[in-house]
Amino acid sequence: MNRKNIMFFSLSLLIILSCDKNSEEITLDAQTYSLVQAIDQELSPLTINPLNWSDNELGFLDPIATKKIIALGEATHGTAEFFNAKHRIFKYLVENHNFKIFAFEADFGESLLINDAVQRGASNEIEELMKTKMHFWTWSTEEVKNLLLWMCEYNLDKSKEEKVQYMGVDCQFNTFHPGMLKDYLKITDAPFFSSAELILNEAETATEAGFASYSREAFENYLQEIDALRDSIANHENEFIEVSSEKEFKLNVRILEVIRQVSEVKYFQGDYSINYRDQYMAENTAWLNEYFDGKKIVLWAHNWHIANSPNYGGGGSMGYRLTQDFGNDYTTIGFLFSRGSFTAFGQEGGQFTELGEHVINVNPKTNSLNFVMSQSKEPVFALKIADLQKYNEWNDAFANGIEAFAIGSVFNNNPKDYYFEFNPTFFDYIIYFDKSTASVLL
């Protein structure tokens, strides 16, 4: 459908909608009304509770289910609906399209510990592992716990090849990585263990301190020692594989690589000209595709990370880098909402305040993407961005810099500070919720 198929209204005409979804009357100009009409024509309605989405409702995923990586975003790190939607989508893709890997914006090492329980179907261990091993409160929630419990249950009667995997791609901590690699080098009786132990101990303590005492020269020398350790391990590849396995060898080589990644992320923290974190999360995601022999991946991260955005930090977002690497085999689903509650740290001035529930009870910014979606006929829906681009008025809105709303893990109670210019290349699909409710922390 194109613009001529939509009833024309003079731009001077105001249309008043009494909207069932909001208690207050909203007055729309004709241009905004036409944007809403286009959405209503193209959306796929979804049940309000994501855990109740039927397979028929999720049929919009079928055309993209051939992709190697489907990335699922979130407009806050503390919305229960976003988390439950990802749970339901992963379950659908596993059961109907043979997806096997759920990769999180979570610490690589901690995820290996949790995945061990997932592989064994050890549901009784999940909550304690989440409470004691997860670095981020964002994932230590009832919603993510329920996802992991489902993964455990799914794996109980499956062969090794059929099991689903919970993996992390983030690189901000060296809490577990050095100890994991030391354990492997002990098992393989590495002849260079003493020198390896020294550099791995340094990695652990220096990362914890943020490399605060390191000059640039000292840091470069440290990286050279990491690289020398990598060379030593490579030189003993055959012996180590014989004692362990090829998979274990590859995993521990990656652990060392993540130790290096974390070191650079920490050392250059605050230097926004270098976006090492997104670069390395993209590299780790690509490594998972290779390590698991091409098994298809669902990727969980914030909207800003999964978006195909060349301008997100130096070098672009994780999604931009994955788009460069995988082309059409990488696809994105962003998540948006308009009102409601979510979990986040507060912020007053330059100071963070307590972690807790925040509420937005005002309408979105007028004529923002969230505002337009809030006026649609459905409270929850999926929408393909390319379908909006069939309409001249939507192309005009994108060209004129229509804004969208999203926060991360911190909120200062001033919603207008969290709008950004929306580019239709960011996401392939949007899943929209009128109302957000706060995630439940463990």
Side-chain angles (χ1 to χ4, degrees), residues 362-377:
V362 296
N363 282 326
K365 189 175 181 179
T366 303
N367 293 335
S368 65
L369 183 59
N370 305 68
F371 176 83
V372 175
M373 289 184 165
S374 74
Q375 302 308 309
S376 68
K377 63 185 180 182

Side-chain angles (χ1 to χ4, degrees), residues 53-335:
W53 288 348
S54 68
D55 282 2
N56 285 339
E57 286 177 280
L58 291 173
F60 74 91
L61 295 169
D62 293 344
I64 60 174
T66 59
K67 310 290 187 181
K68 291 182 179 179
I69 303 172
I70 296 179
L72 306 178
E74 54 198 36
T76 84
H77 276 320
T79 290
E81 285 77 10
F82 298 161
F83 294 1
N84 288 334
K86 297 183 197 189
H87 176 167
R88 180 64 186 98
I89 288 171
F90 183 64
K91 183 174 184 287
Y92 178 81
L93 292 172
V94 168
E95 294 177 340
N96 294 278
H97 295 287
N98 204 34
F99 278 73
K100 294 298 183 189
I101 319 300
F102 211 156
F104 267 58
E105 182 193 336
D107 180 66
F108 189 90
E110 80 181 34
S111 301
L112 294 175
L113 299 171
I114 295 170
N115 191 46
D116 176 67
V118 169
Q119 295 310 292
R120 292 183 284 108
S123 301
N124 60 316
E125 299 177 21
I126 292 298
E127 183 167 347
E128 183 64 18
L129 284 168
M130 294 177 72
K131 287 179 177 179
T132 58
K133 305 305 181 186
M134 281 185 164
H135 290 83
F136 292 133
W137 62 266
T138 48
W139 320 134
S140 188
T141 67
E142 290 289 341
E143 295 81 15
V144 175
K145 182 183 79 172
N146 289 336
L147 164 67
L148 291 171
L149 292 177
W150 176 82
M151 294 174 75
C152 286
E153 182 181 356
Y154 179 87
N155 281 345
L156 279 175
D157 59 349
K158 302 295 187 301
S159 69
K160 185 176 180 180
E161 284 299 307
E162 292 176 318
K163 290 182 178 183
V164 293
Q165 310 277 341
Y166 168 82
M167 300 295 291
V169 298
D170 210 349
C171 48
Q172 299 188 75
F173 304 95
N174 271 329
T175 309
F176 303 119
H177 305 125
M180 289 175 168
L181 187 53
K182 282 188 283 186
D183 287 344
Y184 180 73
L185 295 176
K186 286 180 183 177
I187 291 170
T188 54
D189 198 22
F192 49 86
F193 180 81
S194 295
S195 59
E197 186 176 32
L198 289 174
I199 187 60
L200 292 172
N201 287 343
E202 182 180 356
E204 187 172 0
T205 56
T207 303
E208 182 68 23
F211 294 92
S213 64
Y214 281 62
S215 66
R216 183 61 178 267
E217 181 181 4
F219 183 69
E220 293 295 339
N221 289 336
Y222 160 83
L223 292 182
Q224 287 175 15
E225 292 186 68
I226 295 285
D227 294 340
L229 175 56
R230 180 181 58 200
D231 292 341
S232 296
I233 293 173
N235 290 335
H236 290 79
E237 177 177 353
N238 292 335
E239 302 99 292
F240 288 179
I241 289 175
E242 186 175 350
V243 174
S244 57
S245 69
E246 185 175 4
K247 280 289 187 185
E248 286 184 80
F249 178 80
K250 288 181 177 179
L251 178 60
N252 280 276
V253 169
R254 196 65 197 176
I255 288 172
L256 180 58
E257 183 63 28
V258 175
I259 290 172
R260 196 186 198 284
Q261 292 174 357
V262 172
S263 302
E264 290 190 285
V265 168
K266 283 294 186 182
Y267 185 80
F268 292 106
Q269 194 167 15
D271 182 352
Y272 298 107
S273 66
I274 307 173
N275 189 357
Y276 279 127
R277 185 175 168 222
D278 274 68
Q279 174 186 332
Y280 292 145
M281 286 198 295
E283 290 181 9
N284 291 336
T285 303
W287 179 84
L288 289 176
N289 175 257
E290 179 183 348
Y291 182 72
F292 288 106
D293 303 315
K295 289 184 171 66
K296 292 187 286 188
I297 297 170
V298 176
L299 178 60
W300 172 318
H302 193 276
N303 281 350
W304 292 326
H305 291 304
I306 72 158
N308 178 14
S309 176
N311 299 317
Y312 184 68
S317 64
M318 173 178 64
Y320 172 74
R321 295 171 188 274
L322 288 171
T323 300
Q324 303 307 299
D325 292 341
F326 287 87
N328 289 332
D329 267 326
Y330 175 74
T331 194
T332 54
I333 302 176
F335 285 70

